[in-house]
Amino acid sequence: MRTIRCVCASVVVAGALVGLPVPADAQENVQALRQGIDQLRREFDAMQQDYGQRLAALEAKLAAAEAATPATPAPPPAVSQAATTAQPTPTQPTAQIPPGAEGAGGPSGALPVYGAAVGAGSKVFNPDIAVIGDFLGSAGHNEVNPGSPLELHESEASFQAVVDPYARADFFISFGQEGVEVEEGYLTFTALPGGLLTKVGKMRAAFGKVNTMHNHILPWTDRPLVTENLVGGEEGISDAGISVARLISNPWFFLEATGQVFAGNSGDLFHADDRTDLTYVAHLRGYHDITEDSNLDFGFSFAHGNSPSAAAAEPQHLKADLYGIDATYRWRPLQRSIYRSFIGRGEWVWTRREVEPDLFATPRGMYVSGDYQFARRWTAGARYDRSQSLTSGDDYDTGGAAVLTFRPSEFSQVRGQYRHISYVNAPAANEFLFQFQFSIGAHGAHPF
Amino acid sequence: MVPIPSKKGFAGFTGFERFERFERFMMKRTLIFVVAAFLIAASASAQSKLNVVTSTEDLASIAREVGGDRIAVESIARGYQDPHFVEAKPSFILKLQKTDLLIVVGRELEIGWLPPLIQQSRNSKIQPGANGYLDASLTASILEIPTGQLTRAMGDVHPQGNPHYWLDPENGKRVAKAIGEKLGQLRPNDQAYFDQRLGDFSSRLDAAQKRWLEQLAPYKGTKIVTYHRSFPNFAERFGLVIVGYVEPRPGIPPTPQHTLDLINEMKRQNIKLILVEPYFDSKTPNAIGRDTGAQVLTMPPSVGGVKEVTDYFKLFDYDINLVVGAIKQSGAGK
């Protein structure tokens, strides 16, 4: 009603203004003006009536809609310390869980529907969303790999959900110092015949152990020297492609063979000169439980791709082959599993890279590390690095690191690391690195 | 193959060629027969026992009661292990690959380890939502369903309620019924067998529950402290009152301040019992016990938690004897 009044007032004022520029013969004009005003009044009355009718109709509609739905959402049930009913929230409407939601880390059981009726429950299908922050600080001296003294090294956003009864999707978007990047984004077909586990999308290649790990599950603040020198550093072998993995059944141990084909571009490691320069990765993984508390995990990896050609040259289709062996020993006593554990790992990498047509460099490297959890929230670890690089000739860069990690909860950790590296072509580096990592939201469980 | 030089006979084939074709046909038939025989044998052996995998030993025990010798049951977690923190070992993938029915506790108890295992199992039967996936919590009575805004400042809360619901025999019956229905659905021919076993299990459990209730009846209202929130269903069913927890918040290890507060509260309310799950460190509970004069009991929340507890009935037998014995000894019930 207030709107109508305003409209009337403003039109009257406007009408008065229109009437202003008629100064002479006021007496005659008064009559005309009065008629005009009467006309206006009649028009306003008609408008008012019209609006009134419309408003009444609207109000009626609203009332009808309110009658159809509960006036207010049902109050949430009290903490059911004393509940004995079979279903948790009988007073509230519930939504069906989407099939597969729980396996993907989604909810299970009947879900309360807030706000009832129309459109409710649609949030149930939202993917699990999490953000993991990785804050890194470094002090000390390193000419080869000088990190920023303080940086939000990476923020990883993950979106994970079941697509349909046949597949699930996982996206990991990385916001780093250099910009935004899809770190991984792939579709996994969980129920293909023939026992084939198939992934399609952009993913980290199954080359060894470290290459498959996201930053936040590494046991260190950095990646081993051999990864930096020979396997593409932090980005690693990571590309758009297709992956197929199959279990090879045998009576003795777990054996899985993985074959992957990628477009052929992985940082400075692989670069496709044309469409045929694909990258191929093969991985064979064996696993055996030694006892209930300890197990051995070992793998053989192979990668073949096109090496980046020298600058300004014609595409030369230079080839690069990488071979890797990895071994992981884990010990975790079942009954004290939250207090004590040990993981020992090692990876050995041999490469054969064509630096010019028919001229090959064969740098190689390795690391071994051990991490011992000595209390529920504390882990101490050490790593030994030894690796050649494309420019180091027959000599090796060598290094070592000592790491201490404190985890206040499952969702955050603080880590300090001392790192020493003796470079062949640069002064030795001595650094102290520290890291804060924190996770919010629902992040899917990591594969073993 | 060297062609045999010969005159073409009827239909362009010599007699020898015809014989050869016939022989090849017979060989093919034999081969088909052998393969078919293998397939039938394989399916027959598959028909003999349904492969059931459960996430915990409690569910395995209940499934065994209902399924009898028609199913083969295996549990992933051991009873003396914290079921929240099981490792997703690849050897479990091998087990799940051949599983016909996967029974889980649900309510996000297994969220940290089961999803990747199911995903890598390459078994379409046990994917969540599929026919061979059973969430046992769906028919159970669930306590401690949080309301209002949830944050992780509350610790590792389960947004869908406390998953330790199997520690109420009434829930045991509900779970058994759900398992019986699912087994009947997967093996309709054995429905009568499962029904009979389910009925038998339920009546034995009813009788046992009556006995357990009688055992604890004199001590109804006894106040206790537990390490983790593993026993709300147990306490509610058997009339115990949980006053506090050694953990300041679920999943957060004890802090000195919280321990002090707990000691004061226990002294104030004269609480003489602390229940500790076998997989937790007993250092803090022991210190609290020394300070307050309370007894610290290692109380298995699961089948297999201690050696003597080999099935679902023995779990309650053991736990109730333990509690009753301790109350009698300390006089806490008076």
Side-chain angles (χ1 to χ4, degrees):
Chain A
M1 288 314 273
R2 184 182 289 176
T3 352
I4 292 170
R5 227 173 269 155
C6 285
V7 169
C8 295
S10 56
V11 173
V12 169
V13 169
L17 283 174
V18 168
L20 271 181
V22 194
D25 300 329
Q27 286 292 338
E28 288 172 29
N29 285 341
V30 163
Q31 194 66 27
L33 207 61
R34 201 165 282 156
Q35 278 175 2
I37 287 171
D38 283 348
Q39 171 107 20
L40 272 173
R41 191 173 290 146
R42 278 196 297 277
E43 277 173 20
F44 285 138
D45 285 348
M47 262 172 84
Q48 204 167 354
Q49 209 174 345
D50 186 32
Y51 274 107
Q53 277 166 1
R54 284 190 194 186
L55 261 177
L58 265 173
E59 273 166 2
K61 268 188 193 169
L62 250 175
E66 270 170 10
T69 56
T72 48
V79 179
S80 44
Q81 278 289 358
T84 47
T85 45
Q87 277 303 320
T89 53
T91 54
Q92 219 172 314
T94 54
Q96 197 68 35
I97 299 300
E102 198 198 13
S108 68
L111 282 183
V113 174
Y114 302 103
V118 201
S122 61
K123 284 197 187 97
V124 168
F125 296 103
N126 281 353
D128 287 339
I129 299 172
V131 180
I132 297 173
D134 174 6
F135 181 84
L136 196 58
S138 46
H141 183 76
N142 186 340
E143 283 185 13
V144 177
N145 194 5
S148 169
L150 296 168
E151 62 176 335
L152 183 62
H153 183 66
E154 185 190 63
S155 312
E156 180 193 292
S158 64
F159 304 86
Q160 303 172 287
V162 168
V163 177
D164 55 24
Y166 318 107
R168 55 173 285 115
D170 297 85
F171 281 90
F172 303 94
I173 319 286
S174 162
F175 302 80
Q177 297 284 81
E178 298 90 34
V180 181
E181 187 195 30
V182 178
E183 189 178 5
E184 291 197 283
Y186 53 82
L187 191 67
T188 308
F189 295 97
T190 45
L192 283 190
L196 297 173
L197 189 69
T198 306
K199 286 187 195 178
V200 178
K202 189 187 176 200
M203 65 199 104
R204 300 187 74 97
F207 187 90
K209 283 277 180 222
V210 166
N211 193 70
T212 59
M213 291 179 180
H214 288 190
N215 282 346
H216 65 93
I217 53 167
L218 288 170
W220 322 287
T221 63
D222 59 349
R223 286 177 189 258
L225 203 53
V226 59
T227 307
E228 298 291 342
N229 285 358
L230 304 176
V231 200
E234 189 171 316
E235 192 183 338
I237 310 175
S238 165
D239 201 355
I242 298 170
S243 167
V244 177
R246 194 179 195 287
L247 299 181
I248 301 171
S249 50
N250 66 79
W252 305 288
F253 54 87
F254 173 93
L255 194 60
E256 184 184 41
T258 308
Q260 303 179 313
V261 184
F262 296 103
N265 293 301
S266 278
D268 3 309
L269 190 62
F270 294 125
H271 176 79
D273 291 326
D274 62 40
R275 271 192 194 176
T276 59
D277 290 334
L278 300 172
T279 300
Y280 301 91
V281 175
H283 182 70
L284 189 67
R285 181 195 188 187
Y287 171 91
H288 183 64
D289 283 314
I290 302 168
T291 65
E292 197 178 64
D293 300 339
S294 61
N295 53 68
L296 195 61
D297 200 339
F298 48 93
F300 301 94
S301 312
F302 169 71
H304 171 83
N306 201 62
S307 248
S309 300
E314 284 281 294
Q316 290 173 302
H317 299 283
L318 303 173
K319 296 300 171 201
D321 292 325
L322 283 77
Y323 305 84
I325 294 178
D326 62 83
T328 309
Y329 169 80
R330 292 183 185 84
W331 170 80
R332 186 185 283 268
L334 284 194
Q335 190 161 354
R336 283 283 172 269
S337 64
I338 58 174
Y339 299 102
R340 295 279 184 280
S341 65
F342 173 79
I343 299 181
R345 319 167 204 253
E347 282 188 56
W348 290 261
V349 176
W350 294 264
T351 65
R352 188 168 185 271
R353 287 179 73 162
E354 205 172 9
V355 279
E356 281 172 39
D358 296 321
L359 179 67
F360 291 93
T362 56
R364 58 192 171 179
M366 56 80 75
Y367 78 87
V368 284
S369 77
D371 296 282
Y372 179 65
Q373 182 193 359
F374 58 90
R376 183 160 182 184
R377 311 200 271 188
W378 289 91
T379 305
R383 187 183 75 212
Y384 173 71
D385 286 307
R386 181 177 160 83
S387 174
Q388 294 174 327
S389 69
L390 271 181
T391 55
S392 69
D394 286 340
D395 297 324
Y396 285 88
D397 294 339
T398 55
V403 190
L404 186 65
T405 307
F406 172 66
R407 289 187 187 84
S409 74
E410 278 178 83
F411 310 103
S412 65
Q413 68 179 36
V414 187
R415 176 174 283 158
Q417 176 174 347
Y418 168 74
R419 179 171 75 180
H420 170 84
I421 305 172
S422 296
Y423 290 107
V424 173
N425 298 322
N430 278 302
E431 291 162 284
F432 179 70
L433 302 140
F434 58 94
Q435 183 186 40
F436 287 82
Q437 268 193 14
F438 43 94
S439 156
I440 52 174
H443 191 77
H446 294 285
F448 188 64
Chain B
M1 204 161 123
V2 182
I4 302 158
S6 64
K7 275 188 176 174
K8 299 275 188 243
F10 175 71
F13 293 106
T14 63
F16 182 72
E17 275 174 339
R18 271 207 295 273
F19 172 72
E20 212 179 27
R21 278 169 60 85
F22 173 70
E23 200 176 38
R24 252 183 274 156
F25 171 65
M26 284 308 287
M27 270 173 66
K28 217 187 262 177
R29 250 175 58 149
T30 317
L31 199 71
I32 290 170
F33 174 76
V34 170
V35 169
F38 262 113
L39 283 177
I40 291 164
S43 68
S45 74
Q47 193 65 36
S48 64
K49 275 195 178 184
L50 197 73
N51 282 318
V52 179
V53 169
T54 64
S55 62
T56 66
E57 292 201 48
D58 311 285
L59 294 178
S61 176
I62 297 173
R64 217 167 272 132
E65 294 282 353
V66 182
D69 57 9
R70 307 286 159 93
I71 64 171
V73 192
E74 225 178 325
S75 160
I76 294 179
R78 299 268 81 90
Y80 46 84
Q81 186 178 9
D82 188 338
H84 302 82
F85 300 100
V86 178
E87 285 185 296
K89 295 178 188 173
S91 38
F92 297 139
I93 296 173
L94 294 181
K95 276 180 193 157
L96 290 177
Q97 196 189 13
K98 297 171 209 131
T99 300
D100 300 305
L101 172 61
L102 172 65
I103 309 171
V104 305
V105 174
R107 306 286 153 169
E108 299 200 348
L109 179 73
E110 303 101 338
I111 193 156
W113 51 275
L114 197 56
L117 286 178
I118 296 175
Q119 198 189 322
Q120 293 176 80
S121 71
R122 296 146 168 92
N123 185 347
S124 56
K125 284 186 277 188
I126 57 160
Q127 299 294 322
N131 219 9
Y133 179 92
L134 177 63
D135 180 342
S137 75
L138 291 185
T139 53
S141 154
I142 305 298
L143 301 180
E144 296 180 356
I145 297 171
T147 52
Q149 178 72 37
L150 276 185
T151 82
R152 289 212 170 120
M154 302 165 182
D156 208 353
V157 280
H158 289 277
Q160 294 154 41
N162 193 305
H164 303 272
Y165 57 83
W166 65 85
L167 280 163
D168 174 358
E170 287 299 321
N171 274 340
K173 278 195 286 180
R174 293 182 187 118
V175 169
K177 186 161 175 283
I179 292 175
E181 279 166 12
K182 182 54 89 177
L183 290 176
Q185 196 185 332
L186 295 174
R187 282 290 156 82
N189 292 342
D190 292 331
Q191 180 77 66
Y193 174 81
F194 297 137
D195 285 347
Q196 181 266 320
R197 287 195 66 100
L198 175 65
D200 179 53
F201 171 71
S202 300
S203 53
R204 276 187 295 132
L205 197 55
D206 277 336
Q209 188 179 324
K210 207 172 148 226
R211 191 179 75 233
W212 294 326
L213 284 169
E214 279 165 10
Q215 254 182 296
L216 268 166
Y219 312 109
K220 209 171 158 74
T222 301
K223 290 173 181 172
I224 57 169
V225 161
T226 71
Y227 195 104
H228 179 71
R229 294 172 186 252
S230 305
F231 301 102
N233 294 78
F234 183 86
E236 193 195 75
R237 176 61 55 201
F238 298 108
L240 303 174
V241 179
I242 299 172
V243 174
Y245 306 94
V246 177
E247 286 182 326
R249 294 186 174 98
I252 304 287
T255 56
Q257 185 57 51
H258 174 76
T259 303
L260 267 179
D261 292 346
L262 186 65
I263 288 172
N264 291 336
E265 188 62 23
M266 284 175 71
K267 281 181 179 163
R268 202 175 62 78
Q269 301 202 37
N270 193 27
I271 295 164
K272 294 293 173 204
L273 276 186
I274 306 173
L275 308 185
V276 181
E277 297 83 341
Y279 36 82
F280 285 118
D281 194 356
S282 50
K283 208 173 78 189
T284 310
N286 282 341
I288 298 172
R290 273 194 302 275
D291 213 337
T292 58
Q295 289 189 70
V296 179
L297 305 178
T298 301
M299 175 124 147
S302 276
V303 174
V306 294
K307 229 182 282 164
E308 303 92 306
V309 177
T310 50
D311 65 34
Y312 193 64
F313 290 92
K314 290 194 180 124
L315 174 63
F316 291 101
D317 280 337
Y318 184 91
D319 283 353
I320 285 167
N321 284 334
L322 193 71
V323 171
V324 169
I327 296 175
K328 275 184 186 161
Q329 202 184 330
S330 68
K334 286 163 194 164

